[in-house]
Amino acid sequence: MATEAQGEAGGLAIHPMDQFIVKPLLGDGPVGMFTITNVTLWLFLAILAVVGLMVIGTSRRAIIPSRSQSVAEMAYGFIYKMVEDVAGKDGLKFFPYIMTLFLFIVFANFLGLIPMSFTTTSHIAVTAVLAALVFLTVTILGFVKNGASFLGLFWVSSAPLALRPILAIIELISYFVRPVSHSIRLAGNVMAGHAVIKVFAGFAAVAWVAPASILAISAVYALEVLVAFIQAYVFTILTCVYLKDALHPHH
Amino acid sequence: MEGDIAQMGQFIGAGLAAIGSGAAAIGVGHVAGNFLAGALRNPSAAAAQTATLFIGIAFAEALGIFSFLVALLLMFAV
Amino acid sequence: MATETKGAEAAESAVGMPQLDFATFPNQIFWLLVTLVVIYFILSRVALPRIAAVLAERQGTITNDLAAAEELKKKAEEAEEAYNQALADARAEAHRIVGEAKAEMQAELDAATAKADAEISAKAAESEKAIGEIRAGAMDAIKDVAREAAAEIVSTLGLKADQKAIDKAVTAKLKG
């Protein structure tokens, strides 16, 4: 319906959401659970990128690092310091896990910026799984480490007694909204940027708008490069913050 | 005819929801501006608070993304 | 409308949001989990230990190099100290030698001066003596001349000169 409406409205064939369609890589047919789709391809490329940077890039183990090795070391130091600063020393056990999330999101975001590519992180299914993994890990870890006293996270002992039940409800709601906002923030940002680029690309079909359109695409693209990194950073640092709550629930 | 009115409602709703994105932009600007004001007063403490800045921006932005999502849902999914 | 988009139909064109096409969810979730597990194992088994080792090694190298540099610096300082010491010694030695030479020369000079003084005074004494003799000779001669002249004068005046009285008078006159 929406496509029809757009087609009628401006005579332009703008399909900003077409780029997000999941389809089988070989031939047509239904998308089953194990079908090799464009999602599979771009996830695989993300793995390749991670391997290229973190394994092949560091394969020389040089004391004086090459360019790729120093990028890998910079990423390592960046996340290591973030985990240490935000989640504390005992959060470092989860460093590989957080590093996995960060590298995956960064590479998925940047691979998605390649024209004609498929952006895996623009799908709520993907980001929801990432956020749900974090949520489950943090919740289970909180209860395993602190037992029932983990519930103290919701019982704000510094507030007046009368307010505490209300605050507890608010805290509880905000706790369960966490994975929702965590996942939708990433998917929404990436999706919005890509859709906007596509919309401007659609306008480029009109000759006299085309230069402005191309200029706008370049500007949005630059913003998207920034967003691709910042969203990965934000996702990672929020994971660290939630991890800190699980490890040290009493602020 | 009936379908056209429903469609119109959808698009109006999507446009209204998109206002929320602008509101979130105000919020993000507020966070960043206040951070800058504080950072200029006490530059030595600023570096340690960058993480907090990004968390604040992320929270402010998330709500804008929600309204954007509502707009998208109205446009494409309802 | 969303119900229409489900299934294979969605693959043709994006009617509605592909993100809400629940038919593709199992596929995406499955492959995502595979990806995450693969990345996790690559990172935790290969990449992260390697980078940690490299960073630790570099830290160690830097620490060693710094220690070595510190040691070299200390050595350089010691060498400088030794050099300064040697310089100071040499300067003191030179001072001593100069002092000695000066003292020696002074002594020689003093000796020569003393010798010269002694010679001069000996010569002066000799001259003094010679002068004394000459003067004494002259005095005697004057006395004789005076005596003879006195005797002559006295005899000329017709008097009988007493030789002794004349001598006495001349001597008294000459003394006075």
Side-chain angles (χ1 to χ4, degrees), chain B residues 21-68:
Chain B
S21 304
I26 295 173
V28 171
H30 209 68
V31 172
N34 278 334
F35 174 79
L36 194 60
L40 288 176
R41 269 177 214 275
N42 188 1
S44 56
Q49 299 305 320
T50 330
T52 324
L53 168 73
F54 278 105
I55 293 171
I57 286 180
F59 279 126
E61 169 136 46
L63 302 173
I65 293 292
F66 284 159
S67 63
F68 167 74

Side-chain angles (χ1 to χ4, degrees), chain A residues 42-43 45-47 49 106-115 117-119:
Chain A
W42 289 96
L43 287 174
L45 288 177
I47 297 180
V106 159
F107 281 117
N109 283 351
F110 277 108
L111 285 172
L113 284 174
I114 298 171
S117 70
F118 177 86
T119 319

Side-chain angles (χ1 to χ4, degrees), chain A residues 61 63 76, chain C residues 47-60:
Chain A
R61 301 163 184 259
I63 292 297
Y76 181 98
Chain C
L48 297 184
R50 181 187 289 172
I51 294 175
V54 168
L55 288 180
E57 199 180 332
R58 179 171 313 144
Q59 196 57 49

